[in-house]
Amino acid sequence: MKTTSLPSPVPTRPRTVLIGSLLASSATFIAFCSLVALYVRHRQQARIVGQDWFTEGSLQLGPASMMLMTLLLSVVTVQWAVQSAKTEDRPHQFMALGTTLLFGVAVLNQFWFVYQDVGLAIDDSKAALFFYVVTGAFIAMLVVAMIAMIIATVRSLAGTFGKELANIVQASAFFWHATVVCYALVWYTVFVTK
Amino acid sequence: MFTAGFKFFFKLFVVLITAAIVYGYTSGGNHVGPLSVGWKGGVGDHTGYGILLALATVSLVISLALIAFRDADAEAQAELLNVDRIPIPPQRAVKASWWPTVSAFGIGTTVIGLVLHPAIFVLGLATVGLVVVEWTMDAWADRVTGDTKANRMLRNRIMAPIEIPVLGALAVGIVVLAASRILLTVSALGAVLATSVIAVIILAYASVYVAWPELARKFIPELAILACFVLLVGGVLAAIKGEREFHHPESSSDSTLYETDTDDASETHNPIDGNIDENHSGISDTSSVES
Amino acid sequence: MSFPSFPPMTASSTSYQNTMTAMMQPASTNDHTLIGRIAAQGKRSLSLRSLVATSDHILIGRMFIVLSLLCAFATAVLGVLLRIEHIAHLFRLRADHYSFMVFDDPNNWFRMWTLYRMSFIFLVLLPLLIGLGMTIIPSQIGADVLAFPRAALGAFWCWLIGATIMVVSVLGGGGWGSLYHVTPDNTDAVSLTLLGTGMTICGLLLAALVIATTIISLRETGMSLKNVPPFTWSMLVASVVWLTTFPIVIANIALIYTGLHGGQATSFAVSEDENIWLQLDWITEPPAVYALAIPALGIILELLYAASGRKAPWPTFGAIAVGLFGFLSIGGWLQDFFVAGNLTADGMPVASDPRYQLPYVVFAMAIMLLVFAFSANMFSLPRVKNTRTASLTLMLVAATVFGALRVLEPFELLESTITTSVFNALAVAGIIAAVAGICHWSYQLFGVTLVPEKMNQIILILLLTGGLCLTGADALSGVLGADSFVLLPEVALDVESPLSSQVEAQHVSSAFVQTFDTGSIAAFLTFASCLGLSLVAAGLLMLSIEALTTFGRTPQQVTAHTPSQEMASTT
């Protein structure tokens, strides 16, 4: 069926999806920050009474920084996708979205490596419990962001390639950026300041 | 110049950042800790300070977004679309859909499965995954062209070959798993009675369907929803109560041929009862001869 | 401070007025006004299929409203049972100190007591106000649809299924923690309660997101955020506050759930003074609990505008009051449980520290602004609206005054029953607000005048009398020295000793009795609060029946009914 011979859909409000994404990202960000705040609070309590939070050398900064770099690269590819959608450049948009998703999968893979490398059991200590809660929450957020990206990709399959599609990609990108900011928080509070 | 939405959220930001700093100092912060997010000095109560800071950040981001969008006013959006007046979304632009409801049931199943059994958890996740795919395709098809019929055709051409087998398998899976949990919880007699009643209901419904097809067709969704609810509630109760106690045979491969949780079962092992024992030994004898 | 000001009703430019006028017209099945849509909807039979797959925001809103009204009645009945248990203690109606009359043991009592609180928030107030918002807001801003109608339907079912899991698991032995240790026997049930609560909150957050997005991005041409009607403004503020407060609860739940299953239960989730409930109870206490009442302020202003038919005095004050209320009810930061040691440097509970008292004073100021606006208008209002506005304002004033009294140091009421009183006052205020809103907009919601004038009066009187009885008695009990029903850390510590569960039960029961036993006046006051809650329950029952019977009304009945006098006064 030739879709080009059919009428275009009625235009809708262009900002709706963006505003929705903005609010959803905000709510998720607050939940995440709340977890990080509790993490820092418990770590501080442990230090006050002279306990070690993590044993020396149990958390390596290298893999964590590699994940941060991967996610920073994904920020660029996401914006590439947004720009492609705005200029109605379908091949580049698919390529950019695919690369972003690939970076997402890479981060998940790196997290798997970190979990194996750390070798902490969840019931080892309060620190281990918090470590898994905070990083697990981030992984959940990343998975949601990846699903949003996949949805944006599917929406680009066919049909009118207009501003509405660019808005959807932009909305997904916004959530992706919020996810990267959350990881930056994890990187700093969990891996850098330990 | 500054929009109302921006002003509201920016004021919220100012209030919250001030509150974070004040709270940081009054709850034990020192040096410039509360001013530098703990970089140089303490921030007092980390929980309250951290949450206030997060709230302030979010308020700032929303305020900046709103001023960039000019509060998403109709005029601003019309300008973005290069039209004189923004179209109000048509009343029935979004057609009715089952997927939101199915997604909620999928999440419910995942939640129960997380506690109850990994298989149910996976089933719930699969349902949610299915909904994500279906919902996305529906949303895409709704907007692909301005022709509703063509949109429907495009959607079906892609999805029908996938969804019919998958949905069928999923529906059977949910029913079997949830029902099995319930049947494992109730007593043996209760399980028999429950399955009999269900069988009778299905038979009765089938009879009604044959006699008055229109009437029966009308109640299909109602019955499906009712059954889903019963299964969910039953699943929760089954999780809480756990499986009933099963008596397993201690040894002897022959004894597995008989139910051992009844009084009759013990009789099969009674050496005095020659007939039963003879039958048993007869079977094993025969097999040994053949071998 | 330049807060947005609400448009006066006399402003001819606002489409709000046009929409309201359109609603006054007799239903026509082929027009595209709201009434026309109700009529068109009514032409279809209201089957379960339409409830499951609808994208009509009016229907989704109605489902929220009717179910939460039923939940409200059930919760009020549960509250009455809890108070009967209390009375049985005080009047020595039971065999001994260690047995319970209505509930089998202290743990069951605790489970139901927590269910009562959580239900009022997540099964009654939030869905009731969200339902009202989903139905009314699109027409107020000239949008005609919600921003994400399918997400709205998903939110409803997510809420309903989450609530079902939550309530069933609590009744099956779960709950938000336990007076004794959470044993392997009920760990699963507790986990289900936690996850059910999380799912319920996710549903409500999604609904709040839909409402906020609708308000921000679907306003019609000429209507800036500065000019939106009061109820819409209050729902925007409320939605933002909910979206920034309840994710924190979800984070708490995630932590508790992982602690429960991660082997850290003994040191993190349930033992010592770290009962699960104590990690979550901040949402039932000031300042976070005030977030439930934000839309009530919008409804008060809406009623005032509609009744007076003229520009309300200082409409900007109304907007400021709503905004201030919103600012100050952001309460996620004040989680007593996580503040180091739960005590300040001076050794007093954190919330009684003078620096935390400021918000409550400002709360009171915000309410006083409304009272001022109300008193300037009250003499010009029709009788029914007068009762609605007066009762609503009265309950809100009670809630803020009790809240301020609670934290002021000379009174030392922080751990008294005045905390319960604040919660109940806000709960009843929220219900009255919703009832007032439902009656005010019943034509939009149900296509008919939902409650006849006389019955409306009776319901309001029942709710107001009951609410005042309930909250007044609890507040007075607190002033006379009754401890809060909230289980204090020391009560939990009592059960920490390695005793058998029977002895543990006796310890807890003993603590329970001591907490309650404050003499004959206390007995009378408890009886008064029980009576008050019964009156509230009666009012809710009447309204629930009316809402249920009207739920499937058809357009013929819409046109057959003359628009009510109140609708006429709206224009």
Side-chain angles (χ1 to χ4, degrees):
Chain A
M1 180 188 288
K2 276 188 179 176
T3 53
T4 46
S5 59
L6 294 166
S8 295
V10 182
T12 52
R13 302 282 178 117
R15 293 297 188 204
T16 310
V17 188
L18 270 174
I19 299 285
S21 169
L22 181 70
L23 294 173
S25 307
S26 304
T28 318
F29 180 75
I30 283 175
F32 195 82
C33 285
S34 168
L35 275 179
V36 171
L38 289 171
Y39 176 92
V40 178
R41 182 258 179 193
H42 278 82
R43 186 178 65 187
Q44 187 68 12
Q45 293 286 100
R47 284 178 182 167
I48 286 171
V49 296
Q51 289 174 346
D52 278 343
W53 186 242
F54 284 116
T55 50
E56 189 67 33
S58 58
L59 286 186
Q60 298 298 325
L61 185 58
S65 301
M66 187 57 77
M67 283 190 275
L68 184 66
M69 287 301 160
T70 312
L71 284 170
L72 288 177
L73 281 175
S74 75
V75 167
V76 177
T77 55
V78 160
Q79 282 309 117
W80 177 20
V82 172
Q83 188 59 28
S84 305
K86 278 182 180 169
T87 54
E88 308 196 359
D89 183 350
R90 206 185 296 262
H92 273 94
Q93 191 196 333
F94 279 133
M95 211 186 299
L97 287 170
T99 316
T100 309
L101 284 170
L102 194 69
F103 283 138
V105 174
V107 171
L108 291 178
N109 183 44
Q110 287 173 77
F111 252 113
W112 180 256
F113 169 77
V114 167
Y115 284 157
Q116 300 296 316
D117 186 45
V118 168
L120 284 171
I122 198 166
D123 55 354
D124 273 356
S125 61
K126 196 177 273 189
L129 176 79
F130 267 101
F131 173 74
Y132 283 111
V133 172
V134 171
T135 53
F138 168 72
I139 288 173
M141 198 175 169
L142 181 63
V143 169
V144 173
M146 287 170 71
I147 291 172
M149 280 291 149
I150 292 170
I151 289 171
T153 313
V154 172
R155 292 290 287 265
S156 326
L157 279 174
T160 317
F161 202 104
K163 280 180 174 155
E164 188 177 342
L165 182 61
N167 288 324
I168 291 168
V169 177
Q170 214 169 344
S172 313
F174 194 88
F175 192 82
W176 189 275
H177 292 320
T179 309
V180 175
V181 171
C182 284
Y183 180 73
L185 269 177
V186 174
W187 176 75
Y188 182 72
T189 52
V190 177
F191 292 99
V192 175
T193 58
K194 291 192 176 69
Chain B
M1 185 182 169
F2 293 120
T3 59
F6 165 78
K7 281 192 269 187
F8 174 72
F9 282 102
F10 194 77
K11 279 168 191 165
L12 192 57
F13 160 70
V14 172
V15 169
L16 287 167
I17 197 77
T18 312
I21 293 167
V22 170
Y23 184 73
Y25 276 115
T26 54
S27 62
N30 51 33
H31 305 297
V32 287
L35 291 170
S36 61
V37 197
W39 185 256
K40 297 280 178 195
V43 297
D45 170 35
H46 289 75
T47 316
Y49 179 76
I51 290 173
L52 282 171
L53 211 56
L55 291 168
T57 310
V58 160
S59 307
L60 181 65
V61 171
I62 296 179
S63 69
L64 294 177
L66 283 182
I67 198 166
F69 299 162
R70 282 160 56 198
D71 272 2
D73 283 341
E75 294 83 352
Q77 298 196 62
E79 204 178 308
L80 199 68
L81 287 173
N82 288 327
V83 292
D84 291 338
R85 193 181 165 84
I86 191 84
I88 293 174
Q91 281 178 20
R92 300 289 175 192
V94 178
K95 65 180 181 356
S97 170
W98 290 79
W99 298 119
T101 311
V102 179
S103 73
F105 275 103
I107 295 167
T109 311
T110 310
V111 161
I112 292 171
L114 199 59
V115 177
L116 191 65
H117 197 279
I120 300 174
F121 175 71
V122 172
L123 194 72
L125 276 188
T127 312
V128 173
L130 181 85
V131 169
V132 168
V133 173
E134 288 286 349
W135 198 336
T136 306
M137 290 310 292
D138 273 7
W140 166 76
D142 281 351
R143 310 279 311 149
V144 69
T145 72
D147 185 326
T148 319
K149 272 188 182 172
N151 290 349
R152 191 78 203 156
M153 269 176 67
L154 278 167
R155 185 217 167 272
N156 286 344
R157 189 182 291 176
I158 298 171
M159 292 308 292
I162 305 168
E163 63 191 11
I164 292 170
V166 172
L167 275 177
L170 197 70
V172 171
I174 291 172
V175 169
V176 168
L177 268 173
S180 71
R181 298 306 305 178
I182 296 168
L183 292 178
L184 285 171
T185 304
V186 297
S187 68
L189 184 64
V192 172
L193 281 175
T195 44
S196 306
V197 168
I198 290 168
V200 168
I201 290 171
I202 292 171
L203 185 66
Y205 183 75
S207 310
V208 172
Y209 194 88
V210 171
W212 302 283
E214 283 304 312
L215 182 71
R217 212 171 288 141
K218 200 176 167 187
F219 289 109
I220 285 176
E222 280 83 351
L223 283 173
I225 293 299
L226 192 68
C228 281
F229 252 119
V230 169
L231 281 176
L232 263 178
V233 174
V236 175
L237 291 174
I240 292 161
K241 202 174 178 188
E243 292 179 11
R244 69 170 180 274
E245 212 167 300
F246 288 93
H247 303 286
H248 296 290
E250 288 174 7
S251 60
S252 169
S253 58
D254 287 349
S255 63
T256 56
L257 291 169
Y258 295 89
E259 283 288 345
T260 55
D261 57 348
T262 61
D263 292 339
D264 293 341
S266 61
E267 288 175 14
T268 60
H269 298 286
N270 189 349
I272 300 168
D273 194 338
N275 289 333
I276 296 172
D277 256 347
E278 273 171 22
N279 283 342
H280 266 289
S281 51
I283 292 166
S284 64
D285 285 347
T286 313
S287 57
S288 63
V289 168
E290 283 174 356
S291 64
Chain C
M1 254 182 154
S2 59
F3 278 82
S5 58
F6 303 136
M9 282 301 293
T10 47
S12 56
S13 60
T14 58
S15 60
Y16 174 50
Q17 247 186 339
N18 299 336
T19 316
M20 299 299 276
T21 313
M23 275 174 243
M24 292 298 302
Q25 305 308 317
S28 145
T29 51
N30 58 356
D31 68 354
H32 296 289
T33 60
L34 198 63
I35 289 298
R37 293 177 55 206
I38 294 171
Q41 180 191 306
K43 276 221 156 181
R44 303 192 311 266
S45 60
L46 197 61
S47 64
L48 194 55
R49 189 198 298 259
S50 65
L51 300 184
V52 169
T54 183
S55 60
D56 182 353
H57 66 95
I58 295 177
L59 191 54
I60 300 169
R62 279 160 62 169
M63 292 196 288
F64 261 121
I65 288 170
V66 170
L67 276 176
S68 50
L69 277 176
L70 291 173
C71 287
F73 172 67
T75 308
V77 169
L78 179 63
V80 170
L81 290 177
L82 285 165
R83 278 170 170 74
I84 288 174
E85 185 69 68
H86 188 180
I87 291 169
H89 266 286
L90 296 169
F91 285 95
R92 309 279 189 265
L93 295 178
R94 298 187 318 233
D96 57 65
H97 260 16
Y98 307 118
S99 60
F100 275 62
M101 195 172 86
V102 183
F103 306 101
D104 289 341
D105 59 50
N107 217 13
N108 272 344
W109 174 85
F110 172 71
R111 203 176 284 139
M112 293 304 140
W113 183 83
T114 49
L115 178 63
Y116 168 77
R117 295 204 154 202
M118 290 303 230
S119 290
F120 250 133
I121 296 176
F122 295 122
L123 307 190
V124 179
L125 290 176
L126 286 176
L128 202 52
L129 295 167
I130 280 173
L132 205 55
M134 274 189 177
T135 318
I136 303 304
I137 286 170
S139 61
Q140 284 201 333
I141 60 171
D144 249 11
V145 288
L146 280 173
F148 309 110
R150 285 181 186 157
L153 181 65
F156 169 77
W157 283 100
C158 201
W159 167 76
L160 183 60
I161 293 170
T164 307
I165 292 173
M166 186 176 97
V167 173
V168 170
S169 62
V170 171
L171 297 177
W176 297 269
S178 169
L179 284 185
Y180 335 125
H181 294 286
V182 172
T183 61
D185 283 345
N186 66 347
T187 300
D188 282 354
V190 170
S191 302
L192 276 174
T193 308
L194 290 171
L195 293 173
T197 312
M199 194 176 163
T200 309
I201 295 173
C202 283
L204 294 170
L205 284 177
L206 186 57
L209 185 143
V210 169
I211 289 173
T213 310
T214 306
I215 296 170
I216 294 174
S217 72
L218 291 191
R219 280 168 288 116
E220 72 169 353
T221 307
M223 181 182 276
S224 74
L225 270 181
K226 203 175 174 182
N227 296 327
V228 292
F231 179 62
T232 300
W233 171 248
S234 69
M235 278 304 289
L236 176 63
V237 174
S239 299
V240 169
V241 172
W242 295 340
L243 280 168
T244 50
T245 301
F246 294 117
I248 301 171
V249 186
I250 291 179
N252 286 3
I253 287 175
L255 215 47
I256 295 167
Y257 178 82
T258 319
L260 201 61
H261 288 269
Q264 291 292 308
T266 51
S267 64
F268 184 72
V270 287
S271 73
E272 297 174 38
D273 57 343
E274 298 191 342
N275 191 293
I276 292 172
W277 174 252
L278 296 178
Q279 295 179 57
L280 296 172
D281 72 343
W282 60 269
I283 44 169
T284 69
E285 288 180 1
V289 74
Y290 283 106
L292 304 172
I294 301 169
L297 304 185
I299 291 173
I300 290 180
L301 291 167
E302 199 79 52
L303 293 175
L304 283 174
Y305 280 25
S308 62
R310 60 186 171 81
K311 187 177 177 179
W314 304 288
T316 312
F317 279 8
I320 292 174
V322 175
L324 271 178
F325 215 83
F327 280 0
L328 296 164
S329 57
I330 295 174
W333 58 278
L334 186 55
Q335 300 179 43
D336 267 2
F337 181 78
F338 290 113
V339 177
N342 293 341
L343 297 174
T344 64
D346 306 329
M348 54 185 168
V350 168
S352 69
D353 190 304
R355 67 175 177 268
Y356 300 116
Q357 294 174 11
L358 181 68
Y360 303 100
V361 177
V362 187
F363 267 128
M365 277 170 56
I367 289 297
M368 288 311 149
L369 282 173
L370 280 180
V371 173
F372 188 65
F374 166 70
S375 56
N377 276 274
M378 63 184 294
F379 298 108
S380 63
L381 303 182
R383 194 160 52 89
V384 174
K385 284 200 190 320
N386 206 342
T387 317
R388 281 183 206 160
T389 322
S391 50
L392 184 49
T393 314
L394 207 59
M395 288 312 300
L396 279 175
V397 168
T400 45
V401 168
F402 293 155
L405 281 177
R406 175 179 170 267
V407 291
L408 290 177
E409 204 184 340
F411 301 109
E412 294 184 349
L413 295 172
L414 196 66
E415 287 164 1
S416 71
T417 50
I418 206 161
T419 308
T420 315
S421 160
V422 174
F423 177 82
N424 283 328
L426 282 167
V428 177
I431 288 172
I432 293 178
V435 170
I438 289 168
C439 295
H440 182 61
W441 289 300
S442 63
Y443 211 63
Q444 277 165 280
L445 277 164
F446 296 99
V448 291
T449 307
L450 183 64
V451 183
E453 301 281 311
K454 277 189 178 173
M455 195 189 277
N456 184 2
Q457 287 279 26
I458 294 169
I459 290 174
L460 279 171
I461 288 168
L462 280 174
L463 289 175
L464 180 63
T465 319
L468 287 177
C469 240
L470 173 70
T471 54
D474 281 344
L476 206 53
S477 296
V479 172
L480 292 173
D483 281 345
S484 169
F485 294 176
V486 178
L487 280 157
L488 303 172
E490 54 266 29
V491 177
L493 279 174
D494 277 353
V495 298
E496 272 310 295
S497 54
L499 303 169
S500 69
S501 60
Q502 179 63 32
V503 181
E504 278 184 356
Q506 289 188 357
H507 269 248
V508 176
S509 190
S510 173
F512 179 84
V513 172
Q514 285 164 14
T515 308
F516 275 26
D517 206 353
T518 50
S520 57
I521 296 175
F524 169 75
L525 290 174
T526 311
F527 183 75
S529 71
C530 185
L531 186 70
L533 202 51
S534 307
L535 293 176
V536 172
L540 284 169
L541 180 64
M542 287 168 72
L543 193 70
S544 305
I545 291 170
E546 186 70 16
L548 263 179
T549 51
T550 325
F551 189 74
R553 244 118 164 202
T554 56
Q556 284 75 23
Q557 285 160 298
V558 175
T559 47
H561 279 70
T562 313
S564 70
Q565 195 181 358
E566 65 185 90
M567 284 306 298
S569 69
T570 306
T571 52

